[in-house]
Amino acid sequence: MKRFILKTILILFVVLLFQNCATGNKYLSSETSISDVSNLDYFEPYSYIQLIKKGNKAQLNDSLSIETKNKLDSIITFNKNLYKIKKKLNINDALVNKKIENELSSLIQTAIQKRKLKGIKLTPVIDSVLESKNQRFALGIVATGFGRRKGNYTGQSAKAVAVGVLTLGLFAPIPIKSNLSLYSIIVDSEKNEITFYKNTLPVEKSPDDPNVIKKQLDKLFQGYLTQKNKGQ
């Protein structure tokens, strides 16, 4: 399972890089009107946060992932009126939860790769869960990013300067301290499709900082679930 999760993270990062260059981080939407997206529930958010302990080698970190996930969940709940969200979809079956997690990641990857939502059908478990709860629309959010062990960033910064000196400035890798990206989709069980997809650009901030998470959520929904702020 961890191998699958690591593969998921790698794919998300790679396709995100190409997508951002091509689309400028615009959201994708179906032909369903925004005004029709009502009574919106949300799935438990998922988080894959890596920790860099030594050098620049990152490993998926359970505690940092859980902390980011819990804060993300709490912020969504606290701001549900702002984001026009009704409630959280609680799934008590651990196996079903894991299947939903895998299917959400798969749908997000497909949306990124295709760069359009038309033709992407809902996966079976998500579809059946929504139908069983008589719920048409549901929001799914996945967080990815990484943090560094205390002291690691300073050491990597010094190495970057040394490499720059040795190569006469032709090559000087700049280490990133930490970052966070959010991926979001809204699924429609009635039409068996994805209604909305967007991701945020990676922000070089701590992935478990509540202020950072809130700002990333705001960016996700500006112009769709919420009005875009003036000047943006």
Side-chain angles (χ1 to χ4, degrees):
M1 183 58 66
K2 283 193 173 182
R3 180 176 296 180
F4 173 82
I5 292 174
L6 289 172
K7 182 180 179 182
T8 297
I9 296 171
L10 178 61
I11 292 174
L12 285 175
F13 272 124
V14 172
V15 295
L16 172 61
L17 175 63
F18 286 101
Q19 185 220 27
N20 287 336
C21 294
T23 67
N25 197 228
K26 297 178 180 178
Y27 72 75
L28 303 176
S29 61
S30 68
E31 294 179 356
T32 300
S33 172
I34 297 175
S35 61
D36 290 336
V37 182
S38 59
N39 194 31
L40 179 63
D41 287 351
Y42 77 98
F43 288 109
E44 176 183 41
Y46 299 100
S47 177
Y48 311 117
I49 307 298
Q50 300 181 83
L51 181 65
I52 300 176
K53 295 182 179 180
K54 185 177 181 180
N56 270 322
K57 294 182 179 180
Q59 285 187 324
L60 188 66
N61 185 270
D62 290 339
S63 61
L64 192 53
S65 295
I66 292 171
E67 186 174 0
T68 301
K69 171 184 175 178
N70 289 340
K71 289 180 179 178
L72 177 58
D73 194 7
S74 177
I75 293 169
I76 292 171
T77 300
F78 186 79
N79 293 278
K80 62 183 181 181
N81 291 334
L82 173 64
Y83 301 138
K84 299 183 175 72
I85 295 171
K86 184 181 177 184
K87 67 180 186 303
K88 180 178 177 180
L89 284 167
N90 291 308
I91 312 296
N92 297 321
D93 190 311
L95 180 59
V96 173
N97 251 323
K98 180 56 64 175
K99 289 180 178 179
I100 290 174
E101 178 181 3
N102 293 341
E103 289 187 1
L104 279 176
S105 295
S106 176
L107 289 172
I108 288 171
Q109 290 174 28
T110 304
I112 295 173
Q113 292 166 344
K114 287 181 173 291
R115 299 180 188 171
K116 62 179 182 179
L117 302 183
K118 188 174 182 179
I120 303 177
K121 302 296 183 182
L122 288 196
T123 42
V125 175
I126 289 177
D127 192 31
S128 63
V129 166
L130 294 181
E131 287 185 354
S132 68
K133 293 179 177 293
N134 196 30
Q135 178 65 32
R136 178 178 178 182
F137 295 106
L139 169 72
I141 295 182
V142 175
T144 66
F146 66 86
R148 287 181 183 270
R149 188 184 63 182
K150 187 176 181 181
N152 177 271
Y153 178 69
T154 302
Q156 292 306 312
S157 296
K159 289 179 182 179
V161 172
V163 171
V165 171
L166 291 172
T167 59
L168 301 178
L170 296 177
F171 176 73
I174 301 175
I176 297 174
K177 189 173 183 179
S178 56
N179 76 14
L180 175 70
S181 297
L182 297 182
Y183 303 77
S184 176
I185 60 172
I186 295 176
V187 296
D188 181 348
S189 66
E190 182 178 296
K191 291 188 176 181
N192 191 30
E193 66 181 14
I194 300 175
T195 297
F196 165 89
Y197 165 77
K198 188 180 179 182
N199 66 268
T200 62
L201 295 172
V203 58
E204 193 176 341
K205 300 288 184 179
S206 177
D208 61 344
D209 185 326
N211 293 324
V212 174
I213 295 172
K214 172 61 166 57
K215 289 179 180 178
Q216 289 287 72
L217 281 170
D218 289 346
K219 290 177 182 177
L220 270 181
F221 305 130
Q222 281 174 359
Y224 193 81
L225 293 180
T226 63
Q227 293 298 315
K228 190 171 183 179
N229 295 334
K230 292 181 179 179
Q232 293 187 341

